[in-house]
Amino acid sequence: MDKQLAKILVVDDDEHVLNAVTAILRRDGHEVLPLGDPVEAVSVARDASIDVVVSDIMMPHLTGIDLLKAFKQAQPEVEVIMMTAHATVETALESVRAGAYDYLTKPFARIEDLRLAVGRAVDRRALRRRANVLESALSTNSRFEGITGQSPAMRAIFKLVETVSNSTATVLIQGESGTGKELVAQAVHFRSPRRNKPFITVNCSALSETLLESELFGHVKGSFTGALANKKGLFEAAHGGTIFLDEIGDVSPATQVRLLRVLQEGEVRPVGSNEPVHVDVRVVSATNVDLRKAMEQDKFREDLFYRLNVINLVLPPLRQRPDDVPLLAHHFVMVYSEKSAKKVTGITSEAMESLTRYGWPGNVRELENVIERAVVLCSSPQIGVDDLPPEVRNATRPGAEADISSLVHLPFAQAKALSVAAFERRYLNTIMERSGQNVSQAAAAAGMDRSNFRRLLKDHGIGGRATKDGEGEG
């Protein structure tokens, strides 16, 4: 995954330290604003482009703690790292209480300590910004009658629902299990003139043929064993409103004939009765079965299909709209953190990469279950990779080989980026092993400049052991 870059303000009255820290961070690709005067630094406290502040504590005219407080008051989400050559428990506690993200002692034991601290702060800042963007999106134009989505495919669905809601035409919603067919049916109803009338859902696959007919059309007393009184059917109960027939592909041939009569004549006959009952009901149905194939196999009536399929809505599976995964995931984090009374505020960038790459065979319903589980297991403010189930977590495990079949659900550019990242990890791990973990030899074998090679290793989290050329690689 691409390394996060940021604009960093470095404040230190020691010119040597200021120049050294600035050079290190610029070498990592960050935009750095170095200032030797803390008073001058206060003047840029409201600069919204600053992501991270790295500041000394002991400075003339104004302490680093005062500078920290000024930035936190102006921009609470700016991350601040404090540095000091006079480390004490008291100053560390004071920094943390004032809102510092991290605390470093000068001189640094390792340059890598500074780079890692800044890298974590930059990631945290980026995560917060992304959360704010997602929250803003959730609260504005990506919510549609309880449906979350901002991808072009879902925008097209929203537009079509808006267009057809005012009609009385039947609607057939097709899509895999877990794609949100019932939510779309509700959207059709609640955006229609029938919104103040009943919306009744029937799961056609959950009932036997006899029970389904009784539920849909009603029955009269004595029409079958157990019919102890007259019963109004769901079509009558939905009069003036909408009935949603879920899993319509599982309806028996006999019930299909009776449904066709309702659609053609606008009337139902209760089981055991010869008297028709007029009903005014809009029918919305849904299926994850290929009804055209079922017609070819004589399992579904062609005339009923065309009656149900006046308006056709096809919901894309989640794997075909990966842009919606972060939005949905963030929505479910908010829902389940509130339900569980846990302060889970977001998802780490590594975990989000796993969520985005995973194929989601169970679609939105599976994503919701995964996030609910992660919120329960999470012990920190952000859901991490380790909080995800193995099948999701292993989708982007370090060094994992990119199986092309697992990437075809993604747009070409995104799939290519993940494939390249996986190749780089495998290549780097292999060449480091063959070079005995010697960075200089591995860089030479790769035909790369040593500093660029080291940066690539860091980007992929490869290293951590002392190398043969005497340097610790992190």
Side-chain angles (χ1 to χ4, degrees):
M1 193 176 60
D2 291 340
K3 181 172 65 176
Q4 295 285 350
L5 299 179
K7 183 174 181 179
I8 302 172
L9 172 67
V10 179
V11 187
D12 200 312
D13 62 312
D14 186 325
E15 185 178 355
H16 295 294
V17 174
L18 181 66
N19 292 339
V21 172
T22 298
I24 292 167
L25 298 180
R26 281 179 175 165
R27 197 159 56 237
D28 279 352
H30 299 295
E31 179 185 351
V32 183
L33 173 62
L35 292 176
D37 184 354
V39 176
E40 185 181 356
V42 172
S43 67
V44 298
R46 294 191 178 278
D47 184 347
S49 67
I50 294 175
D51 300 295
V52 176
V53 178
V54 180
S55 174
D56 188 24
I57 290 182
M58 303 301 292
M59 295 182 290
H61 310 303
L62 192 72
T63 70
I65 299 296
D66 292 329
L67 182 62
L68 165 63
K69 291 177 179 177
F71 264 89
K72 283 296 179 179
Q73 184 175 3
Q75 298 188 74
E77 294 190 353
V78 167
E79 302 296 348
V80 182
I81 298 172
M82 306 305 297
M83 305 182 295
T84 182
H86 310 282
T88 66
V89 174
E90 289 76 15
T91 53
L93 286 175
E94 186 180 5
S95 298
V96 172
R97 286 171 184 154
Y101 172 69
D102 209 342
Y103 181 90
L104 298 173
T105 302
K106 298 188 297 184
F108 309 124
R110 297 189 315 154
I111 290 176
E112 198 64 25
D113 293 340
L114 170 67
R115 298 175 68 193
L116 288 173
V118 170
R120 287 192 296 265
V122 169
D123 286 343
R124 181 181 167 98
R125 174 65 163 151
L127 188 65
R128 283 187 173 184
R129 277 191 166 154
R130 184 171 184 81
N132 290 339
V133 169
L134 291 173
E135 276 186 30
S136 175
L138 285 169
S139 64
T140 54
N141 58 359
S142 63
R143 300 287 291 159
F144 185 91
E145 297 293 349
I147 311 168
T148 299
Q150 62 182 0
S151 63
M154 291 309 295
R155 291 280 177 212
I157 293 292
F158 296 162
K159 184 176 181 180
L160 190 54
V161 168
E162 193 77 64
T163 302
V164 306
S165 291
N166 287 327
S167 76
T168 59
T170 58
V171 178
L172 177 62
I173 305 171
Q174 295 176 281
E176 297 177 5
S177 294
T179 50
K181 295 187 288 295
E182 184 171 353
L183 286 176
V184 172
Q186 290 174 356
V188 170
H189 172 74
F190 288 110
R191 286 183 173 258
S192 76
R194 298 171 179 262
R195 66 179 66 87
N196 295 321
K197 298 294 184 178
F199 174 82
I200 293 178
T201 298
V202 184
N203 186 339
C204 299
S205 65
L207 301 170
S208 66
E209 179 181 343
T210 302
L211 284 176
L212 180 60
E213 290 202 0
S214 174
E215 286 293 312
L216 290 175
F217 311 121
H219 62 253
V220 297
K221 181 180 178 180
S223 57
F224 56 85
T225 303
L228 304 178
N230 291 346
K231 179 184 176 182
K232 183 186 293 187
L234 294 178
F235 268 99
E236 283 188 76
H239 183 72
T242 303
I243 192 166
F244 174 52
L245 304 177
D246 197 10
E247 303 302 346
I248 190 70
D250 294 336
V251 172
S252 69
T255 305
Q256 289 179 37
V257 173
R258 303 195 66 176
L259 280 174
L260 183 61
R261 181 180 181 84
V262 177
L263 295 172
Q264 288 176 332
E265 308 296 336
E267 59 184 32
V268 298
R269 289 182 185 272
V271 177
S273 172
N274 292 321
E275 295 296 323
V277 178
H278 173 73
V279 291
D280 172 23
V281 178
R282 184 179 195 177
V283 176
V284 178
S285 54
T287 182
N288 58 11
V289 173
D290 186 340
L291 293 185
R292 293 186 183 277
K293 183 178 289 186
M295 286 191 296
E296 293 173 1
Q297 299 171 349
D298 294 326
K299 293 180 180 179
F300 202 85
R301 293 181 63 95
E302 184 175 351
D303 47 5
L304 177 60
F305 171 77
Y306 289 115
R307 284 283 182 176
L308 294 171
N309 194 42
V310 175
I311 304 294
N312 184 248
L313 292 174
V314 180
L315 298 187
L318 188 55
R319 63 182 174 275
Q320 290 180 6
R321 50 186 184 106
D323 290 350
D324 285 338
V325 171
L327 194 70
L328 285 161
H330 186 70
H331 166 66
F332 292 135
V333 167
M334 292 195 301
V335 170
Y336 289 106
S337 60
E338 184 176 345
K339 282 187 177 182
S340 60
K342 292 184 70 175
K343 292 184 178 180
V344 181
T345 59
I347 303 171
T348 66
S349 54
E350 292 83 2
M352 189 64 80
E353 182 183 0
S354 292
L355 292 172
T356 304
R357 178 175 171 187
Y358 181 60
W360 300 110
N363 292 295
V364 178
R365 187 181 296 126
E366 183 183 9
L367 174 60
E368 181 176 3
N369 292 340
V370 165
I371 297 299
E372 181 181 10
R373 171 189 184 274
V375 168
V376 171
L377 296 178
C378 186
S379 58
S380 63
Q382 282 87 38
I383 292 171
V385 174
D386 291 340
D387 299 315
L388 303 177
E391 64 273 18
V392 180
R393 182 171 65 242
N394 292 341
T396 51
R397 64 187 184 275
E401 182 165 344
D403 180 1
I404 296 301
S405 64
S406 72
L407 299 175
V408 293
H409 64 282
L410 298 174
F412 174 79
Q414 192 172 1
K416 179 181 178 182
L418 288 170
S419 297
V420 170
F423 160 75
E424 288 179 352
R425 284 192 293 268
R426 293 197 307 274
Y427 180 88
L428 293 170
N429 277 313
T430 301
I431 203 165
M432 284 293 287
E433 287 177 6
R434 291 183 177 179
S435 302
Q437 305 302 320
N438 185 307
V439 176
S440 295
Q441 288 184 13
M448 293 179 64
D449 175 76
R450 188 176 183 280
S451 60
N452 290 335
F453 187 80
R454 287 187 61 192
R455 191 172 298 116
L456 196 58
L457 289 175
K458 181 179 181 297
D459 289 345
H460 289 285
I462 299 172
R465 296 194 298 273
T467 62
K468 290 185 178 179
D469 51 3
E471 294 188 19
E473 301 294 339

